[in-house]
Structures are given as C-alpha cells and as structure tokens.
Amino acid sequence: RAHDRNRIKRKTREVYRLQKAALLQYGEAKRIGLDMMWIYLGKTELDYPSLYTAASKLIQKTMIAADKKFRV
C-alpha cells in the first residue's frame, strides 16, 4: 500500500516538474502568484501518459480560472 502511494506521489511530482514552466511563465506574465495542491483520489493508479494529460488539463483550467478571477 505505502509503496503504491509513494509511486503515485513520485509520478505526480515528475509530471508537475515537467509542466511547471508553463505555469510559472503564465504567473510572471500576468504578475500573479499561483499555489496548487493536487490530491489523487483515484482507486487505481494511472499510467504515466494519462497522468501527464490529466495534469496538463488541470494546469490549463487553472490558467483559465485565474484569467476569469483576476481579469488580467
């Protein structure tokens, strides 16, 4: 059980690391700071490509929501 949770955390951190540049560029361009917290609620472990795609969609949604909230 613990090794499954650790593997999920490791994959999630790696997926974020690979995609955080876009989020950081967005924040710098808009002059806003963004904090994110991800909670994995799935019962099964996603494969890496699925997790990468889900994270990408989440980051895009975060940017859209920030645009609406801050109107920048």
Side-chain angles (χ1 to χ4, degrees):
R1 282 307 213 182
H3 65 279
D4 292 334
R5 287 190 302 272
N6 290 336
R7 185 173 40 252
I8 290 169
K9 286 191 283 187
R10 203 168 41 248
K11 281 182 178 180
T12 303
R13 281 193 299 264
E14 179 65 10
V15 164
Y16 173 72
R17 185 188 70 78
L18 292 173
Q19 299 187 37
K20 74 178 178 181
L23 193 60
L24 293 175
Q25 283 179 332
Y26 172 83
E28 289 174 4
K30 302 292 185 172
R31 296 188 175 277
I32 59 174
L34 297 170
D35 293 324
M36 292 184 77
M37 180 174 70
W38 296 358
I39 300 173
Y40 192 89
L41 298 175
K43 297 287 184 192
T44 60
E45 184 178 342
L46 290 177
D47 61 341
Y48 186 80
S50 298
L51 190 59
Y52 188 92
T53 301
S56 180
K57 288 178 184 177
L58 180 62
I59 289 171
Q60 290 298 320
K61 285 182 181 182
T62 300
M63 291 180 196
I64 291 168
D67 278 343
K68 289 180 183 176
K69 180 171 176 78
F70 297 113
R71 303 271 185 220
V72 290

